[in-house]
Structure formats: structure tokens, C-alpha cells
Amino acid sequence: MTVPSVTLNDGNTIPQLGYGVFRVPPADTERAVTEALEVGYRHIDTAAIYGNEEGVGAAIAASGIPRDELFITTKLWNDRHDGDEPDAAIAESLARLGLEHVDLYLVHWPTPARDNYLHAWEKLIALREAGLTRSIGVSNHLVEHLEKIVAATGVVPAVDQIELHPAYQQRDITDWAASRGMHIESWGPLGQGKYDLFGAEPVAAAAAAHGKTPAQAVLRWHLQKGFIVFPKSVRRERLQENLDVFDFELTPEEVAAIDAMDPGDGSGRVSAHPDEVN
Ligand code: NAD
């Protein structure tokens, strides 16, 4: 199973499909990540706030997989944007992960009420220059936040990791990304199981037409849209199922039918809005 890579705007490459460990309990993380690595994942998405970086690091160390074959993302939490806090935060994350650098470091949320996300972004630029992360990006940044940090620094994030699934496609951000050479990472790619995505007619029909599961049809839609995804599961059979999406292709009509699932009024959002997280 070879997962295709995409080339980011800084020239680094990232496997387009990975494994996200949000809400994987810390005590279960080493086991879950070990299984993910065994079935073929090489891209892991974690965050300081998930509390499970140590488990990710333990699985990496035990795997024996060469460091340059892995792509590891972690994130700067909201209360560590100020002053030199980002320097301390990444050092702590690297220690927990047992790594000398991560492949991608993200500002987790813009926390607009604190108005310090530009400073956080400037610090990430310096962390990349110091070699502690190979690529830098943001998460949950709206167009206004992206405009502000790029106007001030001239550095376009490699990615914006945002809630994105068929009912909530955030086209203002994906259009901005396409015009500025930024990649989109879809979090909650399966809608976090919070609505009947798998029973929706366009998804069920595409799955049936290709002899695949609805989850596989949705993941295929993300991949064909050019998004980077890392669905979460703690079950080995689902880890395998979610990786087994490179032997079929949705037709343009199937993609268009899933595109049409977003009501366009923001009502498909299943998690927090960036303006509310501070
Ligand atoms: P997801 O859309 O990946 O949904 C996960 C749920 O789907 C789990 O409950 C799982 O049981 C179920 N599932 C997984 N595979 C399935 C399958 N094949 N069939 C049926 N059900 C299946 O949601 P998520 O975990 O929130 O998002 C994925 C990753 O995105 C996270 O693990 C994390 O790395 C990242 N994330 C980032 C942010 C952020 O603010 N940057 C927020 C949430 C998640």
C-alpha cells in the first residue's frame, strides 16, 4: 500500500493520508499508533492538547521505521502563543515525542479574542529556521486570519487544517488556499460520526457503485478534492479500511453529488467555530 504524497509550498512532501489521534486515550495511544504503523500509515497527526504525544513517540521508537520515512505533525496550544512560549512548547512536544524535529508544526487555533496569533505565526517561522520543524502551518484559521498573517510576514502557511466534510466544505477557505498555494487538511473528515454521512444518498450510491464502504467513498472524495486527511479510529480493521482507498476513483458526477451536500449556510458544522475558541 503506497499512499501518494503531495508537495507543500515549501517543497517538502507529505503523505496525503495519515492517522489522526484526537481523543485516542493516552494509555491506548502506543498500541493504536503501533497498529497504524503496522498496517502502513506513515503520517501521524497529534497535538500537545491531545495529551498523547508520549504514546505516539513510544510507538515510533518501537517501530524501528527510519525517521525520514515518517511524517509527524503536532500543534501549539492556545495558551502558549505569547512571548517565547512557543519555543518552550515545541521543545516539550519534541521531548514527549522523542524526536529532534517534527515535520509539521501548526498554530492550533487563532484565538482571535487574545489577538496573538500573528505573534505565534512569527515564532513558528523562527522555529522552522531553527530546524525544529520542517514545515509550518496553521489550523482553524479563517480567511481574515490568513490574510493578516500573510500580509505581515509574507509567509503563506503550508497548510490550514480545518473542519471539512461533505456537509461543511468551507469554500471561502479552500478557494483562498487554491489561489495562494496552501494545502487544506480536512479534520473531522468523516464528520466525527455526528451526522448520518454514511447514509446520505450520494455517499451510499458512490460506495455501492465501487464496492467500497461509505467511509472509503468519503475519504476518496477528500483525496480527489486534493485535501490531506487523517481519519481517526482505534480499531485495526477500520485503520486498514481507511487506508484501502487507492484502488478506485469516484467519477466526476459522484464527486459533484457529494460536493452538493453542503447546504452552503454553515449549518453543517459539527464542532467549534474558530471565533469561539479562545
Ligand atoms: P473523524 O471524522 O476522523 O471521525 C472519527 C470517528 O469516525 C471515530 O469515532 C471513528 O469511530 C469513526 N470512524 C473512523 N473510521 C471509520 C470507518 N471506516 N467506518 C465507520 N466509522 C469510522 O474525526 P476526528 O477524529 O475528529 O478527525 C480526524 C483527525 O483530525 C483527528 O484525529 C485529529 O488528528 C484531527 N483534528 C484536528 C482538529 C483541530 O482543531 N485541528 C480538531 C479535530 C480533529
Side-chain angles (χ1 to χ4, degrees):
M1 178 71 59
T2 304
V3 174
S5 286
V6 299
T7 301
L8 301 172
N9 63 14
D10 56 13
N12 293 328
T13 57
I14 180 172
Q16 197 182 356
L17 187 132
Y19 176 44
V21 295
F22 179 45
R23 295 208 175 109
V24 176
D28 197 27
T29 302
E30 180 178 356
R31 192 271 316 158
V33 174
T34 295
E35 292 202 344
L37 296 172
E38 282 171 4
V39 304
Y41 291 85
R42 291 294 180 269
H43 164 190
I44 309 292
D45 183 273
T46 184
I49 195 67
Y50 300 170
N52 56 20
E53 290 172 311
E54 278 160 339
V56 173
I60 291 170
S63 74
I65 297 169
R67 176 67 185 90
D68 62 2
E69 292 178 18
L70 295 170
F71 192 102
I72 310 298
T73 299
T74 195
K75 313 185 189 92
L76 176 70
W77 187 240
N78 301 344
D79 60 0
R80 309 207 69 180
H81 289 185
D82 286 327
D84 291 333
E85 276 293 290
D87 306 319
I90 196 170
E92 291 162 24
S93 283
L94 290 171
R96 287 189 291 262
L97 288 162
L99 299 177
E100 291 177 355
H101 70 273
V102 285
D103 298 282
L104 178 61
Y105 197 51
L106 305 180
V107 178
H108 204 146
W109 293 87
T111 64
R114 301 185 192 216
D115 196 23
N116 54 8
Y117 61 92
L118 171 57
H119 175 75
W121 182 238
E122 290 168 340
K123 293 298 285 187
L124 261 62
I125 293 168
L127 293 174
R128 182 180 62 183
E129 284 165 6
L132 298 174
T133 179
R134 297 187 68 219
S135 294
I136 51 173
V138 296
S139 180
N140 299 303
H141 279 47
L142 304 176
V143 169
E144 68 204 77
H145 309 131
L146 294 164
E147 291 281 4
K148 179 171 167 176
I149 64 172
V150 174
T153 65
V155 180
V156 178
V159 304
D160 191 0
Q161 181 179 128
I162 57 174
E163 179 183 336
L164 199 155
H165 42 82
Y168 192 56
Q169 296 179 33
Q170 305 227 55
R171 293 209 180 96
D172 54 340
I173 303 176
T174 61
D175 287 351
W176 191 95
S179 73
R180 304 301 292 269
M182 182 182 76
H183 277 84
I184 293 291
E185 296 191 329
S186 306
W187 66 252
L190 303 176
Q192 297 185 323
K194 291 181 178 166
Y195 65 101
D196 187 18
L197 174 57
F198 298 157
E201 200 275 334
V203 171
H210 295 278
K212 289 289 187 172
T213 67
Q216 290 171 322
V218 172
L219 293 172
R220 192 67 221 171
W221 173 82
H222 285 278
L223 295 169
Q224 290 183 218
K225 299 291 284 185
F227 306 143
I228 297 159
V229 275
F230 23 81
K232 175 243 172 184
S233 175
V234 291
R235 291 166 48 178
R236 190 182 185 98
E237 64 275 18
R238 282 186 174 169
L239 287 168
Q240 284 171 322
E241 175 185 333
N242 294 343
L243 197 58
D244 184 18
V245 291
F246 297 103
D247 61 350
F248 74 111
E249 198 164 341
L250 302 180
T251 66
E253 294 74 22
E254 288 164 343
V255 171
I258 298 176
D259 286 348
M261 287 174 63
D262 185 338
D265 59 3
S267 61
R269 180 166 59 83
V270 300
S271 193
H273 189 278
D275 282 338
E276 297 162 358
V277 178
N278 285 291

